[in-house]
Amino acid sequence: MSAVVIDRGPAPAAAATGEPLIQLEGVGKSFAVQRGSDARMLRAVDGVSLDLRRGEVLAIVGESGSGKTTLGRMMLGLMAPSAGQVAIGGRPPAALGKRALARLVQPIFQDPYSSLNARKTVGDIVGLPLRIHGLGSHAERRKKVAAMIERVGLPTALIHAFPSQLSGGQRQRVAIARALITQPEIVVCDEPTSALDVSVQAQILNLLKDLRDEFDLTYLFISHNLGVVEFLADRIGVMYLGRLVELGAAAEVLARPRHPYTRALLGSVLTPDPALGLPEAPLRGQFPDPLDPPPGCAFHPRCPVAFDRCAEIAPRTLHDAAGLIECHRHDAAVAAPPDAAR
Ligand code: SF4
């Protein structure tokens, strides 16, 4: 199999391994929404502080409506925050400019069909970023495109095919090839396997894992499914109604989830790994209306261990050696009643 070697050129880059490549400080994003005659504010992301470190796979999980995709779009520089600061490679996305940003960060989205131009061939789609950035001669670009198509597991004969002639898995491989052809530092994967058959999901996850090692990539991996991120993640952040409610090393979060919402999410995942133990409490109740969030801790109507304070006062963000947690039951300053649900 041919190696794909592309000079990154003058794209901005941070330095040492483990250094934050993307930093969020108190980031929030609100949208004005019309409901009937009322103009309301939807707070999609609220006060999130987070680093994406070089070389890691940081998974952000939560149900639909938790704000994880909005967070990902801000980390791609595709959306400006309403509050707080985003820095990519140490600089605000607007200061980097679109081209430099695209050299540093690339997305892979959920639906590979809508994200590919149906009128272009696979070769044109994968080669477009090289043309946009003026990388290599025509012959060099053709060679790199063929090598990358082969590297993502597609027959090179498909270079002349159109997206409509490909399966869902093949289309996602094309989207991955396009994202990696200029060798970005960071890839934001937003539910990259959720539109695919289960058998194909595993192949794509394996491919993403191999490519991460081979190209020394940093991933932000967004998913509603803890079972999917278990395979890839170094750290896991859990979002609920716009808040980051738990953050920690993946092995710890999966083996010893601290937040009741994380425990409930895990309870809704069937895992073949016996080390993860039995689900503790399945997720109950409906996801709340983001335009009318519950007072206090937003999770309290669904929380099996909620107590009086939870319906009145939002929990503080607590940072400790394990990571981050937002729950009164983990706050030493709060006298919580015994946890009858455990
Ligand atoms: Fe449950 Fe209360 Fe903790 Fe919220 S603060 S997760 S309602 S125990």
Side-chain angles (χ1 to χ4, degrees):
M1 190 173 284
S2 346
V4 181
V5 180
I6 295 169
D7 179 9
R8 281 201 176 104
T17 300
E19 174 185 355
L21 285 178
I22 301 184
Q23 293 169 286
L24 307 183
E25 190 61 46
V27 163
K29 183 71 186 179
S30 299
F31 300 97
V33 175
Q34 196 72 28
R35 177 174 280 184
S37 57
D38 285 350
R40 311 272 285 272
M41 289 306 285
L42 188 153
R43 204 176 280 180
V45 173
D46 181 18
V48 171
S49 297
L50 189 65
D51 289 342
L52 177 65
R53 303 169 186 159
R54 178 186 292 278
E56 76 168 342
V57 178
L58 170 62
I60 300 292
V61 298
E63 292 165 279
S64 176
S66 62
K68 57 191 190 304
T69 289
T70 303
L71 191 76
R73 290 180 73 80
M74 289 191 283
M75 290 174 93
L76 274 163
L78 294 176
M79 189 182 274
S82 316
Q85 311 287 333
V86 177
I88 302 178
R91 300 170 67 191
L96 280 170
K98 281 187 180 172
R99 282 187 178 227
L101 195 56
R103 293 293 308 279
L104 196 52
V105 193
Q106 278 290 313
I108 298 170
F109 294 116
Q110 174 179 353
D111 181 356
Y113 194 70
S114 64
S115 70
L116 302 180
N117 187 334
R119 288 179 295 179
K120 298 286 184 187
T121 65
V122 167
D124 287 340
I125 291 168
V126 175
L128 183 62
L130 294 175
R131 290 206 302 282
I132 289 173
H133 293 287
L135 296 174
S137 65
H138 180 70
E140 285 167 340
R141 290 199 295 263
R142 280 174 59 104
K143 198 171 159 194
K144 284 170 183 170
V145 167
M148 184 57 86
I149 286 172
E150 191 181 352
R151 178 61 194 87
V152 298
L154 291 170
T156 42
L158 287 182
I159 202 164
H160 303 296
F162 290 90
S164 60
Q165 297 171 297
L166 307 180
S167 68
Q170 287 174 327
R171 288 197 289 263
Q172 197 57 302
R173 288 175 194 269
V174 173
I176 292 169
R178 179 184 56 185
L180 299 190
I181 192 74
T182 53
Q183 286 192 246
E185 304 266 346
I186 305 160
V187 181
V188 175
C189 307
D190 189 353
E191 304 270 15
T193 62
S194 59
L196 305 174
D197 291 344
V198 173
S199 59
V200 182
Q201 284 185 16
Q203 295 168 17
I204 296 296
L205 288 174
N206 271 314
L207 175 64
L208 288 170
K209 195 170 203 251
D210 291 346
L211 292 169
R212 176 246 180 145
D213 296 340
E214 184 174 335
F215 295 122
D216 200 18
L217 296 166
T218 301
Y219 285 162
L220 178 76
F221 196 96
I222 295 167
S223 179
H224 66 283
N225 189 338
L226 269 170
V228 168
V229 306
E230 171 189 345
F231 180 70
L232 271 174
D234 298 309
R235 288 193 301 154
I236 294 176
V238 180
M239 289 191 71
Y240 190 77
L241 216 58
R243 299 287 301 179
L244 185 66
V245 297
E246 180 165 5
L247 176 69
E252 279 299 307
V253 171
L254 293 168
R256 282 171 287 280
R258 297 194 290 171
H259 197 282
Y261 177 57
T262 313
R263 294 205 296 270
L265 271 185
L266 268 172
S268 62
V269 173
L270 285 178
T271 171
D273 183 353
L276 296 181
L278 290 173
E280 186 162 341
L283 200 50
R284 65 179 191 184
Q286 295 293 313
F287 193 80
D289 180 355
L291 283 172
D292 191 15
C297 172
F299 187 57
H300 85 263
R302 306 171 81 187
C303 181
V305 294
F307 56 104
D308 293 352
R309 181 185 181 90
C310 302
E312 296 161 8
I313 301 171
R316 297 189 293 164
T317 306
L318 303 167
H319 298 270
D320 57 17
L324 173 158
I325 182 84
E326 275 193 359
C327 174
H328 289 314
R329 285 196 175 274
H330 293 269
D331 190 338
V334 172
D339 174 354
R342 288 193 208 193

